[in-house]
Each structure stands twice: as structure tokens, then as C-alpha cells.
């Protein structure tokens, strides 16, 4: 056992040496932290459209966390202008990073490379709202490297890019792009899904047919526009579909293979062949498509004799126009950005815009996101004091909020956070199953369940994960600041020059941290604890006092829970 442990440490050392040999082969940030006092403390501008607490709170909902400079900018330009700007910024993509690595024949492409690109884009991308939306969509339209896709680094990077590009487009287009993506095809069985073969005794794979309905569009039960379940005369939920519908959708999703495959090479076609593209949308080979009549949702019948593409288009239209889609998708997006338990009225307001953006367009995600973030239930500070309002922050969002609040930078511009799942129990496109890291319907036993509420993120919260996240935050703060000689040149280090300038003014320091970490919501109890800690550590050096204070604050309820 000791020998194996030693081997493990040797391998870790080799891997670190390997990853560190040539940082130019990776995408690194070219953002340089400016330490001038004017840059450290951007002043509030006269005539600001928002107070600083409201601006910080909005940025916690709409980005991976506020920076002081972005709080000031949002105050000056207002939310409407900020949203218009964010939705117009082109997507920051992972694909270029992966291609840079592939260009170096000495460096293989690992999932760690994709993680580095994800952290870089999420922490520093100018398209923050788009990146947050892509993350939310990745937890809705789930594929994962935890199983069959563990070697598909470029494919998963491009799948995430697909979500980012479609973030503010139309849900119908997104649904089709996801359906025809080879990563989804591999993950849920639509790739090379062939029609029934009586000789071999095979039937079409039902996996994608089941999940596209249950998880990606309409859910298990019929819904009212406010997201509540419709009930039959016996007060039981009404199913949205049955097994027969699943079987007919499975027949719809037959005949699809790599783009460029020849009809006589269904089984063995591969991307090494001329004209075959691994990551282009899948294309049909008609000989393997079921051309029989099919009955879909709400009894819609697809006639016999249609092509694979005709069937697919009609089937996705059938799903898209189902009345469940607006409330089903709208509620989950509200949960990811604003609160776990939105009121039925809030859900209905958003779902109504999903059904019609005011110009007769259904599925406009731009309009949906504007409605979610501008709704009174998102913006009115009175909701902060409602006990059932808000959400537990996902562990990765907590960590990114810390990095962004203190302008974290590594010495070589890279982001060496390669295995966040070990401590945070989350890895983008790395959930343990198609059901994501947590269910939107999860209810923590006790007061939450007793009140009929849900608490999705608590599904990955336990005594173990509370400890691992606390330890990881300790590493990120106490051994992850600009004055610490960290062994990993790729580790993002908190830039605490600004905070150290406030060391001699306790109230100014706590006000500053309150704005960045709590959007002005630090409770008197937490502020008292922080003040006492600052006083009681007066004998230590400033950086030790500062990191101890920040570590305590990022473990506090006000930081962990978003309101």
C-alpha cells in the first residue's frame, strides 16, 4: 500500500511537470491586474442609475460574481443597457483553446484542458451573462464526461460552445442543435440508432426519446402556465406521455450517423475517412430510418413514408409547441439565476413571454432572460427578507464569486483548477448522470420538505461536502493570494492589494467586503463576528489577518445563500 501511494505521488509530480512544460500551448489570460489606486477603487459616479448594493446583487444573479469595477459600470449604465450589451457580445468559446493544444504534437488533449478553458472563460470572459446561461443550459441539456464521453475533450468543448452560442437565441433552434450534436448522440443513444430489425430482434434505442421529453422540454406531468401541476378528478397529476409515445419518438430518432457517412458504411464509418466530420451535426442514412406512421404528443400523427429529417423536424415542432414547455423551461431558468422557489405568478410571467415575446415569437430566450432578471421578484429588495426566497449557491459559483471579487490571476495567466469535482462535487459537463448534479425538484428533509418547497443544490450538500468545500475555500484564500509563494504557477491567486490598503480602517474594510461578497446583505451578527476577528488578530501581519477574515466571510450563510 505504501509503495502504491508513493507511485501515485510520483505520477502526480510527473503530470505537474508535464502540464507545466509549455504554458504557451494553453489558452492563458492576457488580463494584467492594475495596482494603481484609481483602478483599485473606482469611484461612484454622480447620477448613477443604481445604488451599489442593487448593482452587486444583480451581478450575483446574472454573472459568476461581481467585481468592483463592474459594479460601478453597471451603476452608471443601468440594467437595460447592460443586458443589451451582454447579449450582443459574441460568445467566448472553448474550441480555440482546444485547437491551440492540439496544434502541439507533444501535448495530448485531456479533460483537464477543457476545465482550464472553462475556468478561464467563466472567470474572465467579458460575456458573463452568456457564460452563466451556458452553465445553466449545461445542467438542463446534460451530457457528461463521466461515462462514455470521457475521452471526448474537443467534442465536449464544442458542445459547451454550442450552448453558449445559442444562449440568447430560440429554444427551438437550441433543441435541434442539441438533438443533432454527436456528443448528445453518443451519450443518449441516438447516434447510429437503427430501425427495428426483425431478423436480429432489435428495437430502436429509447433513451434520447425519453430524456428529451422528461428532462429537456416538458417533464413527466402536465403543467399550468404558472408551473403548478394539473390534477385529474382524483387530484392526481396527469402524465404528459406514456410508453407508447416514447416508442414512437424512438422510431423518429432513427437513421442518424456522422456527417458524410456513406449508406453502405453505417456501422464502421468514422471521422478518419475523407468527407466524414466528427463534430458536424449528424446526418441521416435513410436505409436505417423507420418510415412507418408514428403518433406523438397530444395524438399528433406523422404519416408513413417521411424522411428522417422530415420526421425529426415534425417531432421537434411537436415538442416545442407542447404547452408544458414554457413553464417547464422558465421555472428551471429562474431557479438557476434567482430563486429556488419562485412564486407561481413569477413563473407565469416568464412562461407567458416564452410562449410569445410580444411579437408573436415563441421560445425567444433573449426575452425570457430579460423577463427573469427584470421581474419584480428578482429586483425588489423586499424579497431579500422573505424566508422562502433565494437559493443555495452551487459550489462552483461560490468559488468563482471569490475569484472574481478579488480579481484572481495566476502567475502564468492560466487556470489550473483541473479537478473541481474532488472538492466541489461539480465538474462542468461532468455530472454523474443525465439527471445533472441535482434535481430541480429535490426537497431537503425537514422544514423545506414540510413546507412543500424545493432545495435543488442541497442534493450535493452533506457533512462531507460542507467540509471539503470549506477546506478548498481555505486553500483558495489562505494559500491562494498574491503574496503567497504557491507551488503551482497556474493557480489563480487573489489580488488583495486593494483590501490591504483598507487595513487601517475597520469600517471601510467591512463595508467594502460587504458590497463585494454580500451585495450589502451582511447581517449584524456576521459583521460583529468579522469585526471581533479583525480586532483579535491585530498581532498578526496584515495579509494573515485579511485572509483569515475573508475565509470566515465566504463560509458564512450570507455568502453561501444568494438572495
Amino acid at each position: 500500500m505504501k509503495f502504491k501511494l508513493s507511485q501515485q505521488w510520483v505520477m502526480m509530480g510527473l503530470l505537474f511537470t508535464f502540464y507545466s512544460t509549455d504554458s504557451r500551448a494553453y489558452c492563458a489570460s492576457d488580463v494584467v491586474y492594475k495596482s494603481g489606486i484609481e483602478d483599485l477603487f473606482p469611484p461612484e459616479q454622480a447620477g448613477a442609475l443604481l445604488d451599489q448594493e442593487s448593482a452587486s446583487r444583480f451581478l450575483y444573479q446574472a454573472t459568476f460574481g461581481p467585481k468592483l469595477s463592474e459594479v460601478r459600470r453597471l451603476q452608471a449604465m443601468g440594467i437595460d443597457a447592460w443586458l443589451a450589451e451582454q447579449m450582443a457580445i459574441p460568445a467566448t468559446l472553448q474550441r480555440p483553446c482546444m485547437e491551440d493544444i492540439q496544434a502541439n504534437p507533444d501535448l495530448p488533449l485531456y479533460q483537464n484542458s477543457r476545465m482550464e478553458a472553462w475556468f478561464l472563460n467563466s472567470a474572465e470572459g467579458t460575456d458573463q451573462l452568456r457564460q452563466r446561461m451556458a452553465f445553466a443550459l449545461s445542467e438542463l441539456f446534460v451530457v457528461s464526461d463521466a461515462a462514455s464521453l470521457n475521452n471526448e475533450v474537443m467534442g465536449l468543448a464544442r458542445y459547451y460552445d454550442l450552448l453558449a452560442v445559442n444562449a440568447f437565441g430560440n429554444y427551438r433552434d437550441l433543441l435541434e442543435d442539441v438533438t443533432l450534436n454527436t456528443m448528445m448522440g453518443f451519450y443518449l443513444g441516438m447516434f447510429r440508432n437503427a430501425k427495428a430489425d426483425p431478423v436480429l430482434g432489435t428495437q430502436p434505442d429509447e433513451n434520447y426519446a425519453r430524456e428529451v421529453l422528461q428532462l429537456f422540454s416538458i417533464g413527466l406531468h402536465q403543467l399550468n402556465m404558472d408551473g403548478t401541476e394539473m390534477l385529474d378528478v382524483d387530484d392526481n397529476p396527469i402524465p404528459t406521455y406514456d410508453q407508447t409515445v416514447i416508442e414512437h419518438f424512438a422510431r423518429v430518432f432513427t437513421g442518424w450517423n456522422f456527417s458524410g457517412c456513406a449508406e453502405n458504411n453505417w456501422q464502421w464509418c468514422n471521422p478518419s475517412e475523407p468527407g466524414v466530420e466528427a463534430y458536424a451535426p449528424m446526418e441521416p442514412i435513410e436505409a436505417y430510418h423507420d418510415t412507418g406512421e408514428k403518433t406523438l404528443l397530444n395524438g399528433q400523427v406523422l404519416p408513413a413514408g417521411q424522411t428522417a429529417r422530415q420526421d425529426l423536424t415534425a417531432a421537434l415542432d411537436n415538442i416545442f409547441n407542447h404547452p408544458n414547455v414554457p413553464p417547464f423551461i422558465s421555472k428551471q431558468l429562474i431557479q438557476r439565476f434567482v430563486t429556488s422557489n419562485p412564486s407561481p405568478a413569477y413563473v407565469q410571467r416568464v412562461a407567458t413571454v416564452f410562449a410569445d415575446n410580444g411579437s408573436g415569437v415563441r421560445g425567444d430566450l433573449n426575452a425570457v432572460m430579460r423577463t427573469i432578471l427584470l421581474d419584480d421578484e428578482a429586483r425588489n429588495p423586499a424579497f431579500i427578507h422573505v424566508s422562502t426566497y433565494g437559493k443555495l449557491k452551487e459550489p462552483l459559483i461560490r468559488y468563482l464569486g471569490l475569484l472574481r471579487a478579488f480579481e484572481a490571476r495566476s502567475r502564468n495567466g492560466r487556470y489550473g483548477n483541473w479537478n473541481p469535482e474532488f472538492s466541489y462535487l461539480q465538474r462542468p459537463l461532468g455530472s454523474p448522470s443525465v439527471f445533472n448534479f441535482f434535481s430541480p425538484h429535490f426537497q431537503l428533509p425537514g422544514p423545506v420538505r414540510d413546507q412543500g418547497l424545493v432545495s435543488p443544490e442541497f442534493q450535493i450538500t452533506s457533512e462531507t461536502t460542507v467540509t471539503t468545500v470549506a477546506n478548498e475555500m481555505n486553500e483558495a484564500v489562505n494559500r491562494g493570494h498574491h503574496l503567497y509563494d504557491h507551488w503551482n504557477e497556474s493557480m489563480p491567486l487573489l489580488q488583495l492589494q486593494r483590501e490591504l490598503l483598507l487595513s487601517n480602517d475597520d469600517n471601510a474594510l467591512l463595508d467594502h467586503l460587504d458590497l463585494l461578497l454580500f451585495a450589502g446583505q451582511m447581517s449584524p451578527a456576521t459583521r460583529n463576528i468579522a469585526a471581533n476577528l479583525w480586532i483579535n488578530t491585530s498581532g498578526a501581519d496584515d495579509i494573515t489577518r485579511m485572509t483569515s477574515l475573508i475565509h470566515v466571510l465566504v463560509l458564512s450563510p450570507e455568502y453561501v445563500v444568494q438572495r
Side-chain angles (χ1 to χ4, degrees), residues 349-370:
R349 289 191 292 270
V350 178
T352 298
V353 172
F354 189 109
D356 184 339
N357 68 353
S359 299
V361 177
R362 183 181 180 87
D364 180 356
L365 295 177
N366 182 313
V368 167
M369 282 309 303
R370 285 178 176 274

Side-chain angles (χ1 to χ4, degrees), residues 310-350:
Q310 286 173 329
D311 272 356
L312 182 84
T313 298
L316 295 183
D317 286 344
N318 175 252
I319 294 171
F320 176 58
N321 288 299
H322 191 281
N324 263 35
V325 174
F328 184 81
I329 299 298
S330 297
K331 184 172 183 178
Q332 291 194 62
L333 290 177
I334 294 170
Q335 287 181 314
R336 298 281 61 77
F337 286 88
V338 180
T339 181
S340 297
N341 294 279
S343 69
Y346 187 7
V347 175
Q348 181 157 351
R349 289 191 292 270
V350 178

Side-chain angles (χ1 to χ4, degrees), residues 340-534:
S340 297
N341 294 279
S343 69
Y346 187 7
V347 175
Q348 181 157 351
R349 289 191 292 270
V350 178
T352 298
V353 172
F354 189 109
D356 184 339
N357 68 353
S359 299
V361 177
R362 183 181 180 87
D364 180 356
L365 295 177
N366 182 313
V368 167
M369 282 309 303
R370 285 178 176 274
T371 305
I372 288 172
L373 293 171
L374 293 174
D375 190 87
D376 185 64
E377 206 159 317
R379 301 273 54 82
N380 191 333
F383 285 97
I384 293 172
H385 308 292
V386 177
S387 62
T388 57
Y389 182 80
K391 64 190 296 289
L392 183 69
K393 292 179 188 173
E394 297 174 52
L396 279 181
I397 290 180
R398 285 183 236 167
Y399 175 58
L400 280 165
L402 174 69
L403 296 184
R404 287 180 57 77
F406 300 109
E407 314 273 353
R409 300 285 182 270
S410 68
R411 289 192 291 272
N412 62 12
R414 291 173 54 190
Y415 270 70
N417 312 74
W418 296 318
N419 298 105
E421 69 275 16
F422 292 161
S423 297
Y424 295 111
L425 225 65
Q426 284 187 296
R427 178 186 181 92
L429 299 187
S431 65
S433 77
V434 72
F435 295 98
N436 190 30
F437 305 100
F438 45 79
S439 165
H441 313 296
F442 178 75
Q443 295 178 297
L444 188 68
V448 171
R449 180 182 293 175
D450 293 345
Q451 295 179 73
L453 303 174
V454 298
S455 50
E457 296 83 0
F458 273 97
Q459 192 167 1
I460 55 171
T461 304
S462 66
E463 292 179 357
T464 300
T465 59
V466 166
T467 301
T468 59
V469 171
N471 288 341
E472 194 68 16
M473 294 298 255
N474 176 62
E475 182 75 20
V477 176
N478 289 303
R479 286 182 291 276
H481 57 79
H482 71 287
L483 295 178
Y484 187 80
D485 186 20
H486 204 286
W487 63 271
N488 183 355
E489 289 191 351
S490 299
M491 185 59 62
L493 305 176
L494 308 183
Q495 302 295 309
L496 300 179
Q497 299 95 326
R498 174 179 55 199
E499 286 68 36
L500 290 173
L501 290 174
L502 298 174
S503 294
N504 295 323
D505 189 337
D506 302 11
N507 285 325
L509 174 61
L510 291 178
D511 287 343
H512 169 75
L513 296 176
D514 188 9
L515 176 66
L516 281 185
L517 298 177
F518 307 115
Q521 298 172 36
M522 188 191 300
S523 68
T526 296
R527 188 173 182 114
N528 187 54
I529 290 171
N532 287 337
L533 184 153
W534 191 250

Side-chain angles (χ1 to χ4, degrees), residues 105-409:
D106 297 325
L107 291 177
L109 200 60
Y110 289 134
Q111 294 295 348
N112 289 349
S113 310
R114 185 174 62 81
M115 284 302 97
E116 191 161 2
W118 183 85
F119 272 109
L120 180 66
N121 293 352
S122 299
E124 298 186 13
T126 57
D127 57 333
Q128 275 291 297
L129 179 59
R130 187 180 294 275
Q131 293 300 321
R132 266 299 299 272
M133 183 62 160
F135 186 53
L137 292 174
S138 77
E139 297 183 331
L140 179 61
F141 297 95
V142 173
V143 300
S144 175
D145 68 8
S148 59
L149 300 179
N150 61 323
N151 292 321
E152 286 288 352
V153 182
M154 177 62 82
L156 289 174
R158 291 176 62 145
Y159 180 81
Y160 200 92
D161 288 349
L162 177 156
L163 301 179
V165 169
N166 281 278
F168 308 125
N170 193 282
Y171 170 85
R172 173 62 178 80
D173 297 331
L174 173 61
L175 184 62
E176 181 161 336
D177 286 351
V178 164
T179 300
L180 294 181
N181 185 272
T182 52
M183 295 300 98
M184 182 61 76
F186 292 152
Y187 188 59
L188 291 182
M190 185 176 154
F191 178 74
R192 288 183 182 149
N193 184 26
K195 65 183 179 181
D197 187 328
V199 176
L200 297 177
T202 59
Q203 296 293 326
D205 190 303
E206 297 176 5
N207 205 13
Y208 187 69
R210 192 178 309 278
E211 307 308 354
V212 72
L213 297 179
Q214 179 181 346
L215 301 177
F216 304 167
S217 60
I218 64 174
L220 295 173
H221 302 126
Q222 293 186 32
L223 302 175
N224 298 301
M225 278 292 279
D226 65 3
T228 58
E229 291 182 343
M230 292 184 182
L231 303 176
D232 62 19
V233 292
D234 297 317
D235 288 336
N236 295 315
I238 304 170
T240 48
Y241 55 85
D242 58 19
Q243 177 59 25
T244 299
V245 170
I246 292 294
E247 293 171 2
H248 284 234
F249 268 102
R251 292 168 52 212
V252 166
F253 299 127
T254 54
W256 295 86
N257 207 321
F258 283 126
S259 171
C261 286
E263 181 174 324
N264 62 357
N265 197 19
W266 168 264
Q267 188 63 40
W268 305 112
C269 173
N270 67 78
S272 65
E273 298 179 19
V276 177
E277 299 183 60
Y279 304 121
M282 292 186 291
E283 292 183 349
I285 296 180
E286 296 298 340
Y288 292 88
H289 176 63
D290 185 322
T291 58
E293 182 180 280
K294 306 167 187 75
T295 303
L296 307 183
L297 297 169
N298 296 327
Q300 179 180 339
V301 177
L302 302 187
Q306 294 201 138
T307 66
R309 198 170 295 277
Q310 286 173 329
D311 272 356
L312 182 84
T313 298
L316 295 183
D317 286 344
N318 175 252
I319 294 171
F320 176 58
N321 288 299
H322 191 281
N324 263 35
V325 174
F328 184 81
I329 299 298
S330 297
K331 184 172 183 178
Q332 291 194 62
L333 290 177
I334 294 170
Q335 287 181 314
R336 298 281 61 77
F337 286 88
V338 180
T339 181
S340 297
N341 294 279
S343 69
Y346 187 7
V347 175
Q348 181 157 351
R349 289 191 292 270
V350 178
T352 298
V353 172
F354 189 109
D356 184 339
N357 68 353
S359 299
V361 177
R362 183 181 180 87
D364 180 356
L365 295 177
N366 182 313
V368 167
M369 282 309 303
R370 285 178 176 274
T371 305
I372 288 172
L373 293 171
L374 293 174
D375 190 87
D376 185 64
E377 206 159 317
R379 301 273 54 82
N380 191 333
F383 285 97
I384 293 172
H385 308 292
V386 177
S387 62
T388 57
Y389 182 80
K391 64 190 296 289
L392 183 69
K393 292 179 188 173
E394 297 174 52
L396 279 181
I397 290 180
R398 285 183 236 167
Y399 175 58
L400 280 165
L402 174 69
L403 296 184
R404 287 180 57 77
F406 300 109
E407 314 273 353
R409 300 285 182 270

Side-chain angles (χ1 to χ4, degrees), residues 33-47:
Y33 188 86
K34 299 177 181 179
S35 58
I37 292 179
E38 290 184 0
D39 294 315
L40 291 174
F41 296 101
E44 288 193 79
Q45 298 180 22

